[in-house]
Amino acid sequence: MPPRFHLTVLAKAPVPGLAKTRLIPALGPEGAAALAERLLDHALDQALAAGFDTVELCVTPDADHPAVQRQAARPGLRLSLQGEGDLGARMARALDRALAGGAAGAVLIGTDAPALDAARLRAAAQALAQADAVTVPAHDGGYALIGLRRPAPALFEGMAWSTAGVLAATRARAAAAGLRLAELAPLHDIDEPADLVHLPAGWLPVGLGVGA
């Protein structure tokens, strides 16, 4: 029997003023939330098309938002809450839970990288089958995906998240922990107004965002 692989999509409910806050100067709270919902839709489309054995949507702050409830109705999708703690604690908890549940490998993504399609997700799982950990780097110095074969708390504790040094620190920590880290080709994520040029065509209303 082939090994079981689990994919978690970590997301905020698309609430104005909570989701994609760094894009509010360009899009406004409602526009940023609308884009967050579009990104969530796309990430889950790709996640469910990638062929993982199990797929989970792990949300914050709660599961009551209509967009989250709509997603939870998708066939084959599990719903969970991120819980307390910083981003690292919530990421580690989601990965650890998947591994404790019997997955041979656990992959976690956010919703910020529209280029992270089903083919790239499958490639990450294939890489993880030969390594202890896998990442898809982001051009801003972070990563859009991380996967593990076993718990690795050192990759998440005390990290300066949302900075340009996340990927470099992850590489160094993986090496110190004796983890074989595979990396796929880098891609762009959508965090700042300048990143909006990397959105697929038609994802923003005309005149919004780019160059703002």
Side-chain angles (χ1 to χ4, degrees), residues 52 107 109 115-131 133-139 142-147 167 171 181-187:
F52 281 70
V107 173
I109 65 172
L116 192 59
D117 58 12
R120 288 176 187 253
L121 293 173
R122 285 192 290 270
Q126 291 165 1
L128 187 58
Q130 307 297 323
V134 62
T135 63
V136 173
H139 286 291
Y143 54 76
L145 174 152
I146 187 163
L167 179 62
R171 288 170 176 154
L181 177 64
E183 291 189 14
L184 276 62
L187 45 73

Side-chain angles (χ1 to χ4, degrees), residues 145-164:
L145 174 152
I146 187 163
L148 296 174
R149 294 286 295 274
R150 63 178 188 268
L155 302 187
F156 305 101
E157 295 172 349
M159 183 75 76
W161 299 106
S162 301
T163 67

Side-chain angles (χ1 to χ4, degrees), residues 78-136:
R78 302 178 181 179
L79 182 64
S80 66
L81 295 176
Q82 294 180 23
E84 301 299 322
D86 71 356
L87 177 60
R90 289 178 277 129
M91 292 170 66
R93 185 161 51 239
L95 289 164
D96 290 353
R97 182 172 61 245
L99 294 169
V107 173
L108 183 144
I109 65 172
T111 63
D112 297 338
L116 192 59
D117 58 12
R120 288 176 187 253
L121 293 173
R122 285 192 290 270
Q126 291 165 1
L128 187 58
Q130 307 297 323
D132 301 311
V134 62
T135 63
V136 173

Side-chain angles (χ1 to χ4, degrees), residues 12 23 32 53 64 67 90 107 119 132 138 146 150 174 178 192 209-210:
K12 289 181 179 178
L23 293 178
D53 296 282
D64 294 333
R90 289 178 277 129
V107 173
D132 301 311
I146 187 163
R150 63 178 188 268
E192 306 282 351
V210 178

